[in-house]
Structures are given as C-alpha cells and as structure tokens.
Amino acid sequence: MHKILTIGEILVEIIATEKGDGFRQATPLVGPFPSGAPAIFIDQVGKLGQASAIISRVGGDDFGHVNLARLEADGVDTSGIAVDPLATTGSAFVRYRHDGSRAFVFNIRDSACGTISLDDNAIALVQSCSHLHVMGSSLYAPSVVESILAAIDIIKAAGGTVSFDPNLRAEILESPGMREALRTVLAKTDVFLPSGAELFLFTEAKTEADAIAELLASGIRVIVVKRGAEGASYFDAETTLSLPGFAVEEIDPTGAGDCFGATFVTCWLNDASPREALELANASGARAVMISGPMEGASTRAELEAFISARKD
Ligand code: ATP
Ligand code: MG
C-alpha cells in the first residue's frame, strides 16, 4: 500500500468573525483551528484511510496540541512532528474582505516550523513513504526547502512519485529563495495541481492549452487545474477532462484546494480513473467550503460517496 508524505507548516488558524479589511482595529475572533496547507492535505489523506505522514515541528503549547490531536485522530502518522518546548507553534490570522478575498497575518518563519529539518528519524520516515506531496507555501525557509528537496530525491530514487500544489500567497511569495525552490520542485513533479494563474508560473506559453502542452512535454505526467466553484480539469498525454463543481453554499473557502488535492492524489495512487478521481476530488473541495474552519471540512470516503450520490438522484 502507498504511504503519502508531506513536509511543511503546521499552524493554528484564528478567523475574524466579521468581514472587513485586515487587522488594524480590534475585531472578534474565533479559533484556534488546526491548519497549515500541508497539514490540511495530510489530514484529508488520513481521513480517506490512506497511510499518511507529515514531517513538521510544533511548540510544546496548546496550539501544537490542537494539531497533534486532530492529525492522530484522523489516522495520520505524527511520528515526524518534532515538539520543540522552547518554540511557539505557528499561527495564521485570517479575515475575509467584502469582495471574498482574504487578508492574512502569518507567523510561520519565526515559529517552531521555521526550523524543520530531516534528522535520522525523519529520514527513516521518508524512506518508508512512496509519494511526497509538496505545497509551494511550505518553501518559506531555507531549512524546509532543503528538507523537501532531500526528501524528493530519496523518494524518487526509490521509484516513488511527487505531487506539487503551488498554493501561493502574496504574503509569502517573496520569501528568500522561494521562486528558485518552486522551479526546482516543478522540474521533479509527476502530478501538478495549480489553480488560476499558478499554471503559468514558469511557462513561456501564455494560453492554457499551450501551457498544458509545455508542462506535459517537460515531463509532468498529470496536470489538474483547480477552478474554484467552476470545478476542475484533468490533463495527461491521452486524456483531457473537465468536470463542473458541485453547487454548494460557500461558507469558508480555506482548505478547499488542499482537500481537493489530497483526494485526487489518493485516488490517482490507487489507480482510479481520471473521471472518478476528479469527481471525488471535486466533492472533497465542495464539502470543504461548506464548513467554517480550514481542516473542519475534510471528508471520509463514505461522506464523499454519499455527497455525490445525493446529487445524482
Ligand atoms: P485554496 O484557497 O484552498 O488554496 P485553491 O485555489 O487551491 O484553494 P480552489 O480552486 O479554490 O483551490 O478549490 C479547489 C477545488 O474545491 C475546486 O476545484 C472545486 O472542486 C472545489 N471548490 C472550491 N470552491 C468551491 C465552491 N464554491 N463550490 C463548489 N466547489 C468548490
Ligand atoms: Mg490552494
């Protein structure tokens, strides 16, 4: 059986309950919710019953506990999460603007997960996994980049595969070395999961069709373009397939892309057809936006199947 690994930030998310522009005045908040893009991704993998693990760091504080408890409850191997009693768990404050966009205040680089590294225990964990998922948002600090690139080499040398979701946030795009690291990861990617303009991150092509052709020619095996409420499209050398999104009320979009990606990658590794993988992933993203909180909308396989069949009647 495949075991899926990810490496990167674990955070708590604290959400402003009223819409508005950022955090320059006092505003009511709710949280802490377990979060961090790779953590949401791997929690969704675990909930599907797929073997899964994450390499990260938290502080010896309640924010770390919130995350460890949730990941363990959902079946994720947390042995690669180091607990640093002298550090503080990462955090993200998020507030929705009236136009639906989000403003973040992140504490990532200077938190416990700013110093993720591959010790002997973590290397043994990497060696036990057959697939690595990389979130572009995790390339925020040199030690994390180094850990991810080393893990890619170990996993690919053993015949494993790599998926990559750029998951870019304006707030962190200009981290030192991030662009170069994104380019390096893309060159080793088997399954690429961009949304919107992320497709064109490193292409010369300016249209979607040309960008897809360019990326497939460069050695990427599968590209899945996420289109929010519009659904998603699948591309490989033989197949092009678009499926519309499920019609749901969007309560909180955070985590949709991560749950979508986790479900797609899990299905892909288990040899699902492109249509089945895309449909289950669309359902996973749709269920995620219906529930407030980044990781709160992760689904079991039974929940995804019930959700889809209720919409086919
Ligand atoms: P994130 O903000 O989490 O990084 P993303 O940009 O990576 O998100 P999206 O395209 O927003 O990814 O969402 C991923 C998938 O979730 C979509 O392809 C779709 O299947 C589903 N989804 C997202 N928003 C909605 C919605 N409003 N209604 C139905 N499905 C949705
Ligand atoms: Mg995303």
Side-chain angles (χ1 to χ4, degrees), residues 102 167 169 195 226-229 231 246 248 250 255-257 260 282 285:
R102 289 169 280 184
N167 205 31
R169 299 281 178 264
S195 64
K226 292 170 281 170
R227 305 189 197 277
F246 290 99
V248 297
E250 184 175 296
F260 175 100
N282 262 342

Side-chain angles (χ1 to χ4, degrees), residues 6-10 35-44 53-56 71 133-135 137-138 140 167 258 295:
T6 192
I7 301 177
E9 67 278 20
I10 285 180
S35 191
I40 300 165
F41 174 95
I42 211 66
D43 188 73
Q44 173 61 90
I54 180 168
I55 292 173
S56 189
L71 292 169
H133 180 75
V134 181
M135 285 291 182
S137 57
S138 302
Y140 52 81
N167 205 31
D258 312 330
M295 203 187 278

Side-chain angles (χ1 to χ4, degrees), residues 23-80:
F23 290 98
R24 293 193 176 190
Q25 58 290 118
T27 188
L29 303 165
V30 60
F33 292 104
S35 191
I40 300 165
F41 174 95
I42 211 66
D43 188 73
Q44 173 61 90
V45 173
K47 272 198 122 173
L48 292 173
Q50 179 72 40
S52 55
I54 180 168
I55 292 173
S56 189
R57 273 176 110 82
V58 295
D61 50 29
D62 285 352
F63 288 175
H65 179 84
V66 161
N67 278 286
L68 281 166
R70 173 65 63 85
L71 292 169
E72 273 163 23
D74 288 341
V76 177
D77 175 351
T78 58
S79 65

Side-chain angles (χ1 to χ4, degrees), residues 10 46 66 118 142-143 152-153 171 212 252 290:
I10 285 180
V66 161
L118 290 189
S143 71
I152 289 176
D153 288 344
E171 285 87 345
I212 297 290
D252 180 357
M290 294 167 71

